[in-house]
Amino acid sequence: MKKFVPAKKYMNLCFALAKKACGRTSPNPLVGAVIVKNNTIIGQGYHTKAGAPHAEIEALTQAGKSARGAVLYVNIEPCCHYGKTPPCTEMIIRAGIGKVVIAMQDPNPLVSGNGIKQLQEAGISVEQGLLKAQARKLNEVFIKYITKKRPFVVLKTAISLDGRIATFTGDSKWITGEKARNYAHTLRSYYDAVLVGIGTVLKDDPLLNYRGRIKNITQPVRVIVDSSAKIPIECSLLKTTKKIRTIIAVTKYAVASKLKKLTNAGAEVLLTESHNDRVNLDDLLNKLGSMGITSVLVEGGGELNASFINNDLVDKLLIFIAPKIIGGARAVSFVQGKGSAKLSDCYLCEQPKLKRFGQDVLLETYPLKAARGTS
């Protein structure tokens, strides 16, 4: 029987605390902190939202004077620069913390290693790397954005056992059951933006908002890929622009008079480069990143999904699978386009993780981008 390591228990608690703020901390990372003295937790906290006190400060406040000589566990390196809040390293040093256990180094160039250095120079023992893989997964969005200045892209879809998102008539409501749909809806609260193509807007007239139970959630930005600005002025999206930020990504093929109508309706028109008469998705992601959008949840149809996949723009795939077989050559596949001519050229993914939602299964996987084109 393996001996349980208390340090891992405390770090896992940091992860659990950090996750409480999913969808609220952008562009900051998810952070949880735990202070331990004599094998007793004397303080804990998490970063609740951007601009609010950091996790370490919440934990130190709770611990008070007892923090002197204690061990601080935190899932990412404490910050050492002035932003909306003062540096956490200064407060940790003042509190007299004796040791800091960090899961991962902060990839932010303003911090990266400097926070650790400040703590060590103050005589504080620093241990790093505990449950590092889990820490990186927790903050996969932050890591991608802070290092690449581009949003983390999640492609989410719901399919039948034979990989279809709709019948040959276009009927798609509903492929999955209520539990899976509720969770899929909750995902909108986790990411900065929800992105669809104009085909989805014309077919479903969606709102693309979060309507769940979680309070104090900032509605995700709605991004519509619409190269020639076909979006109807009377659609639900344009009727709600005062409440929810809405971006229409267009190209030079959009008519100026229509763009003016979209602007008057409260939408933001984003002119992008074109590729094969369509929005250049690579350019779109660069522009969204420059606007401070750290993550994008793609809820597109088969053609848009194919464009993201074929251009290696997907960072993560979330695929809900229902125990149904739709059948038919004309039924809609969740990835359309030309497809691979040979199996050796297929799009490869990591071994997926599975989770049950009633009768449905959620498959979570990541692309093996470096392995494309290998057998």
Side-chain angles (χ1 to χ4, degrees):
M1 184 176 178
K2 292 183 178 180
K3 184 178 180 180
F4 184 74
V5 181
K8 290 185 178 180
K9 177 182 71 173
Y10 300 134
M11 189 59 75
N12 277 318
L13 178 55
C14 289
F15 297 154
L17 289 166
K19 289 177 182 177
K20 289 184 177 182
C22 276
R24 299 185 183 95
T25 64
S26 178
N28 298 339
L30 294 165
V31 188
V34 175
I35 299 175
V36 179
K37 193 171 187 179
N38 299 324
N39 295 321
T40 301
I41 295 173
I42 60 172
Q44 61 184 33
Y46 65 99
H47 184 41
T48 57
K49 63 179 181 179
H54 288 187
E56 299 94 321
I57 307 307
E58 292 283 354
L60 287 169
T61 300
Q62 192 176 108
K65 295 181 179 179
S66 298
R68 184 163 298 278
V71 179
L72 167 66
Y73 291 84
V74 61
N75 58 285
I76 194 168
E77 177 183 7
C79 70
C80 57
H81 67 288
Y82 282 89
K84 292 183 178 179
T85 59
C88 289
T89 49
E90 290 185 5
M91 301 300 291
I92 293 169
I93 293 168
R94 288 179 190 173
I97 289 289
K99 180 179 179 179
V100 178
V101 180
I102 301 166
M104 63 170 281
Q105 189 170 304
D106 191 336
N108 186 344
L110 294 174
V111 181
S112 192
N114 294 320
I116 293 171
K117 183 179 179 182
Q118 281 190 15
L119 295 174
Q120 291 175 329
E121 288 178 346
I124 297 174
S125 173
V126 178
E127 178 185 323
Q128 56 179 314
L130 178 65
L131 302 181
K132 181 179 178 180
Q134 293 93 316
R136 289 185 63 83
K137 178 174 172 56
L138 174 67
N139 273 307
E140 59 191 4
V141 168
F142 175 73
I143 293 170
K144 167 73 180 293
Y145 181 73
I146 206 68
T147 58
K148 304 294 184 182
K149 301 303 179 187
R150 284 162 61 98
F152 186 87
V153 177
V154 180
L155 191 154
K156 186 266 288 183
T157 192
I159 64 173
S160 60
L161 288 175
D162 52 337
R164 310 293 185 164
I165 59 174
T167 67
F168 73 92
T169 65
D171 183 25
S172 60
K173 294 182 179 180
W174 298 102
I175 288 180
T176 54
E178 186 176 359
K179 289 184 178 180
R181 295 200 305 273
N182 287 342
Y183 182 70
H185 190 76
T186 298
L187 288 171
R188 291 180 180 174
S189 70
Y190 294 163
Y191 300 103
D192 284 359
V194 176
L195 184 150
V196 300
I198 183 59
T200 297
V201 176
L202 295 175
K203 176 179 176 291
D204 298 331
D205 189 27
L207 276 171
L208 300 179
N209 62 341
Y210 171 71
R211 301 184 294 276
R213 298 178 180 177
I214 303 175
K215 297 180 180 179
N216 302 319
I217 285 290
T218 299
Q219 286 288 348
V221 178
R222 302 177 298 194
V223 181
I224 315 304
V225 179
D226 186 9
S227 58
S228 55
K230 294 179 181 178
I231 186 169
I233 294 297
E234 67 277 7
C235 72
S236 297
L237 291 169
L238 295 181
K239 289 178 180 178
T240 53
T241 55
K242 290 184 179 180
K243 295 182 178 180
I244 307 174
R245 186 180 178 188
T246 306
I247 297 173
I248 314 297
V250 302
T251 67
K252 61 184 179 181
Y253 302 107
V255 178
S257 59
K258 179 63 176 292
L259 298 184
K260 185 176 181 180
K261 290 180 180 179
L262 294 177
T263 301
N264 290 339
E268 296 177 40
V269 174
L270 182 61
L271 180 63
T272 67
E273 297 175 4
S274 61
H275 178 71
N276 294 333
D277 298 336
R278 295 184 177 184
V279 168
N280 183 316
L281 296 177
D282 192 59
D283 181 55
L284 172 59
L285 292 175
N286 282 333
K287 285 182 166 64
L288 293 177
S290 68
M291 297 165 75
I293 293 174
T294 69
S295 57
V296 173
L297 181 67
V298 178
E299 296 187 357
E303 290 294 339
L304 186 65
N305 291 344
S307 295
F308 270 95
I309 286 175
N310 292 336
N311 288 287
D312 287 328
L313 298 175
V314 178
D315 295 298
K316 181 177 184 177
L317 294 102
L318 296 174
I319 303 172
F320 292 88
I321 305 174
K324 299 175 181 178
I325 296 175
I326 293 176
R330 291 166 53 207
V332 185
S333 169
F334 94 93
V335 180
Q336 294 180 283
K338 186 176 180 180
S340 300
K342 297 184 294 183
L343 287 176
S344 58
D345 293 331
C346 287
Y347 188 82
L348 303 179
C349 297
E350 293 181 1
Q351 181 174 339
K353 292 183 178 179
L354 302 177
K355 187 175 182 180
R356 289 288 299 271
F357 288 91
Q359 63 180 5
D360 306 310
V361 174
L362 171 61
L363 183 152
E364 176 188 301
T365 187
Y366 296 83
L368 286 173
K369 296 180 183 179
R372 176 184 278 278
T374 63
S375 60

